């Protein structure tokens, strides 16, 4: 029997679940644990997913993290990648330096945009992603610094902002999941605000509420995040991430 | 043409597009020539990498048009972040796809292109000049109207070119170098090697011939001219050197020493200093 899943492995599984039922679309994971999750989804319940080598190639096999793909099934240079976003046939999981209860995300800068206290990446493709294809977020360290009342710069568009901008903004907009080291979240509430969907084993509701800088919708009964099956654990440990890079992104709790 | 001759065609105050992407196939030898010139007050249009960092550190940027600046393997460009935090230049921050659409509008000689991206995001807030446009058809959709990003000049780096300016990329991604050249009034390509026109198809098929001589005003042969960014398949990113660059960029004292060592001479001196750096590291 395999040993119990680590926190990082639970996170991998929760990320993989973002691509369940996605069909034949490009999985664009950003971050190590989402990358392992996308590969796990492809090797198990979502075999039709498309994956890239992180640059311009669509790969036909599922290499281990850090290993080179041996099979190339397509070409996806940046210009085609941007076009693919607009077709909607993609589900991206981005990072977030800040995220609010409506799903607005910031990766650009902290503080006043005209003279930021801390310049980060810039908006990158967050505006085009969120208005065109399903978008999820991965936050390896759940804290009040990330989960804030208001983000300083709206890069990824949340539900309130999309609604205010009208039908062109809402037409293809969907924030599907938020996965953190503490739990999994969604926006399946009447007013489309963030809801605790499941707790990772060992985490309490109080712990999550304490680490979140806005009121979270917490159902009366919160399930625990599904434990990986033995087969899934074997895939994570022996096939996709034998070097254990996942434990560096989320250290054992 | 030499890097100095290419840069000699540029003027202070120009809007200059720089090809490549992040820390990938940037025309770094041309950027280094710009650093040695007295040209300043530039509007730089770039999918930003160390090109933006170096120009910002040298105080040559008045305005930057970009969606990001990154060193790829190092997420944040330290000179870019420092320059933003001290308010060193004006920024037009666009989404990556908006940026591509702006270049495309310029290539097509159109005033704008409609795009969904940008709506509802703070890109519209921080760029109050951006307008929306309503579809004249039954859908009635209101979309962002990205203005054309017309350029005075473009600088790109490719793997091969002939002397006439037919340029070829041999790596996995063309990035947007053809758009930069066609959106510009004048374009300059540096390349790893100038080859005979008749030899252009010896290494790869015709679809790798990315830029056409009709859009090119100068060709510069600069072996290792994208260093320290990647220029696959000729070479990968010089990660050790990039780490040294990023580390130096975080401290004014260390940066002065780095600039003295690597950026105080011409391109040959730079390449010799890089070779010496690797000998020391080995």
């Amino acid at each position: 029997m395999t040993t119990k899943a680590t926190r990082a492995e639970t996170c991998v599984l929760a990320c993989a679940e973002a691509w369940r039922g996605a069909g034949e679309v490009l999985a664009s994971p950003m971050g190590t644990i989402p990358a392992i999750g996308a590969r796990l989804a492809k090797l198990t319940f979502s075999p039709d997913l498309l994956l890239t080598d992180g640059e311009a190639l669509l790969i036909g096999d599922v290499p281990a993290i850090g290993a080179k793909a041996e099979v190339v099934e397509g070409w996806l240079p940046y210009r085609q990648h941007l076009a693919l976003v607009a077709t909607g046939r993609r589900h991206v999981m981005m990072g977030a330096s800040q995220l609010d209860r409506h799903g607005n995300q910031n990766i650009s800068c902290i503080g006043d945009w005209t003279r930021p206290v801390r310049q980060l990446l810039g908006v990158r493709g967050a505006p085009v992603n969120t208005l065109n294809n399903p978008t999820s977020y991965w936050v390896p360290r759940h804290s009040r610094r990330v989960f804030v009342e208001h983000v300083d710069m709206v890069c990824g568009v949340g539900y309130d902002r999309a609604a205010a901008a009208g039908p062109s903004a809402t037409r293809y907009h969907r924030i599907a999941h938020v996965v953190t080291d503490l739990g999994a979240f969604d926006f399946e509430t009447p007013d489309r605000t963030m809801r605790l969907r499941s707790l990772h084993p060992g985490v309490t509701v109080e712990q999550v509420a304490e680490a979140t800088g806005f009121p979270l919708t917490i159902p009366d009964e919160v399930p625990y995040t599904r434990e990986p099956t033995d087969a899934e654990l074997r895939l994570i440990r022996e096939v996709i991430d034998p070097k254990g890079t996942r434990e560096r992104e989320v250290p054992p709790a | 043409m030499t890097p100095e001759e290419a840069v000699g065609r540029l003027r202070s105050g120009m809007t200059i597009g720089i090809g490549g992407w992040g820390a990938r196939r940037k025309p770094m030898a041309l950027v280094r020539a710009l650093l040695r010139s007295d040209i300043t007050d530039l509007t730089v249009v770039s999918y930003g990498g160390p090109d933006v960092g170096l120009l910002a550190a040298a105080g040559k940027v008045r305005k930057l048009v970009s969606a990001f600046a990154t060193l790829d393997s190092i997420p944040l460009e330290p000179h870019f972040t420092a320059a933003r935090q001290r308010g060193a230049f004006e920024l037009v921050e666009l989404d990556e796809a908006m940026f591509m659409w702006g270049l495309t509008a310029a290539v097509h000689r159109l005033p704008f292109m409609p795009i969904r991206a940008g709506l509802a995001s703070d890109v519209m807030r921080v760029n109050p000049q951006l307008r929306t446009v309503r579809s004249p058809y039954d859908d009635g959709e209101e979309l962002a109207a990205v203005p054309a990003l017309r350029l005075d000049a473009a600088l790109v780096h490719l793997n091969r070119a002939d002397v006439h300016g037919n340029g070829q990329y041999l790596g996995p991604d063309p990035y947007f170098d053809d758009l930069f050249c066609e959106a510009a009034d004048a374009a300059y390509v540096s390349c790893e090697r100038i080859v005979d026109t008749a030899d252009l198809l010896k290494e790869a098929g015709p679809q790798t011939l990315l830029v056409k001589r009709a859009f090119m005003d100068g060709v510069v042969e600069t072996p290792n001219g994208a260093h320290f960014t990647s220029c696959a398949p000729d070479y990968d990113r010089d990660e050790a050197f990039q780490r040294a660059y990023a580390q130096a960029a975080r401290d004014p004292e260390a940066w002065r020493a780095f600039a003295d060592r690597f950026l105080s001479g011409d391109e040959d001196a730079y390449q010799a200093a890089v070779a010496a750096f690797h000998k020391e590291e080995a």
Side-chain angles (χ1 to χ4, degrees):
Chain A
M1 242 346 243
T2 35
T3 54
K4 200 167 145 294
T6 65
R7 179 63 56 80
E9 287 159 352
T10 302
C11 291
V12 166
L13 191 87
C15 288
E17 289 289 342
W19 286 285
R20 185 185 285 276
E24 204 160 11
V25 303
L26 179 71
S28 281
M30 298 176 192
T32 302
I33 283 179
I36 301 167
R39 291 177 203 200
L40 179 65
K42 183 171 166 77
L43 287 175
T44 54
F45 47 76
S46 293
D48 292 335
L49 288 175
L50 286 81
L51 297 175
T52 76
D53 67 343
E55 295 201 16
L57 302 178
L58 290 167
I59 56 176
D61 56 344
V62 184
I65 294 294
K68 253 180 108 67
E70 283 171 20
V71 183
V72 172
E73 68 167 341
W75 186 46
L76 195 70
Y78 281 121
R79 61 181 70 192
Q80 285 195 23
H81 203 141
L82 290 172
L84 184 72
V85 172
T87 69
R89 297 187 74 111
R90 176 176 181 258
H91 185 142
V92 62
M93 184 176 274
M94 280 189 282
S97 302
Q98 293 179 324
L99 200 64
D100 74 16
R101 65 195 296 256
H102 299 284
N104 295 294
Q105 169 250 30
N106 177 19
I107 48 172
S108 173
C109 64
I110 302 298
D112 177 16
W113 178 87
T114 53
R115 180 107 183 237
V117 176
R118 200 156 171 251
Q119 174 65 41
L120 303 170
L121 294 170
V123 290
R124 297 223 61 152
V128 70
N129 287 344
T130 45
L131 258 59
N132 286 282
N133 60 209
T135 300
S136 294
Y137 293 107
W138 161 241
V139 176
R141 208 173 310 155
H142 192 128
S143 77
R144 284 174 174 261
R145 277 179 56 168
V146 177
F147 292 95
V148 294
E149 197 76 54
H150 299 287
V151 304
D152 294 337
M153 166 90 179
V154 175
C155 304
V157 172
Y159 280 101
D160 58 337
R161 292 286 293 249
S168 290
T170 55
R171 193 164 177 189
Y172 305 115
H173 175 266
R174 184 163 81 90
I175 309 300
H177 300 274
V178 176
V179 179
T180 79
D181 60 335
L182 298 183
F185 306 80
D186 61 25
F187 297 86
E188 305 296 320
T189 50
D191 61 350
R192 292 297 204 172
T193 52
M194 204 167 108
R195 176 184 82 139
L196 177 57
R197 183 188 179 93
S198 70
L199 287 166
H200 297 334
V203 179
T204 65
V205 167
E206 293 69 31
Q207 205 180 333
V208 173
E210 180 56 36
T212 307
F214 52 76
L216 198 59
T217 299
I218 298 170
D220 295 338
E221 298 279 321
V222 184
Y224 283 108
T225 307
R226 176 171 80 81
E227 296 273 357
T229 64
D230 285 353
E232 287 168 335
L233 265 186
R234 193 190 62 80
L235 283 171
I236 295 169
R237 292 174 181 175
E238 294 170 26
V239 177
I240 307 172
D241 188 29
K243 291 189 177 144
T245 59
R246 62 194 178 279
E247 306 291 335
R248 267 179 267 152
E249 197 164 64
V250 172
Chain B
M1 182 177 272
T2 65
E4 276 68 22
E5 283 167 336
V7 164
R9 305 266 193 99
L10 308 178
R11 294 288 170 266
S12 291
M14 275 187 165
T15 296
I16 297 191
I18 302 178
W21 171 287
R24 302 173 196 202
R25 218 180 66 237
K26 284 286 176 180
M28 297 297 280
L30 296 180
V31 170
R32 287 187 283 269
L34 255 180
L35 295 180
R36 293 192 294 273
S37 76
D38 55 9
I39 292 164
T40 188
D41 198 35
L42 296 172
T43 294
V44 173
V45 179
S46 173
Y47 284 111
D51 53 331
V52 165
L54 282 167
L55 291 170
K60 292 188 177 288
V61 184
R62 184 179 64 78
K63 182 157 106 177
L64 175 68
V65 182
S66 195
F68 59 80
T70 181
L71 298 174
D72 291 304
S73 50
I74 301 170
L76 301 183
E77 214 302 335
H79 282 312
F80 165 73
T81 57
R84 275 282 285 152
Q85 286 162 206
R86 65 173 189 271
F89 52 72
E90 225 183 290
L91 179 65
V92 175
E93 185 166 1
L94 298 175
D95 165 85
E96 289 172 19
M98 294 174 88
F99 188 105
M100 175 175 78
W101 238 212
L103 284 179
T104 305
V107 170
H108 292 233
R109 299 190 292 180
L110 290 170
F112 68 87
M113 288 287 252
I115 186 170
R116 198 175 302 281
L119 294 176
S121 79
D122 275 344
V123 166
M124 304 304 275
R125 173 177 66 87
V126 302
N127 298 291
Q129 77 280 10
L130 286 178
R131 297 284 177 270
T132 60
V133 62
R134 193 171 289 281
S135 164
Y137 300 108
D138 288 346
D139 57 85
E141 283 211 59
E142 190 184 11
L143 300 162
V146 185
L149 290 173
R150 194 70 208 173
L151 310 169
D152 294 313
L155 306 175
V156 302
H157 183 82
L158 292 169
N159 300 90
R160 306 284 178 268
D162 67 11
V163 290
H164 310 292
N166 295 304
Q168 180 178 44
Y169 77 105
L170 295 172
D173 200 318
Y175 309 119
F176 301 87
D177 290 357
D178 49 337
L179 296 184
F180 278 99
C181 293
E182 292 166 21
D185 293 340
Y188 302 92
V189 60
S190 58
C191 64
E192 289 300 311
R193 202 164 76 229
I194 291 179
V195 297
D196 284 341
T197 306
D199 290 342
L200 279 170
L201 292 189
K202 281 200 173 155
E203 282 184 86
Q207 67 275 18
T208 61
L209 297 175
L210 187 64
V211 299
K212 296 149 186 61
R213 62 183 166 81
F215 298 98
M216 208 52 82
D217 297 83
V219 182
V220 188
E221 190 178 59
T222 57
N224 215 29
H227 183 271
F228 49 89
T229 67
S230 65
C231 188
D234 292 314
Y235 46 89
D236 291 328
R237 186 178 305 122
D238 186 344
E239 297 288 357
F241 189 88
Q242 176 167 284
R243 272 196 300 278
Y245 161 84
Q247 203 167 1
R250 291 187 192 106
D251 171 62
E253 195 80 12
W255 180 248
R256 265 192 296 278
F258 184 94
D260 276 350
R261 181 174 179 191
F262 295 105
L263 301 171
S264 59
D266 62 8
E267 181 64 17
D268 285 346
Y270 173 81
Q271 296 293 350
V274 169
F277 167 85
H278 282 295
K279 219 165 176 184
E280 253 173 54
E281 294 284 292

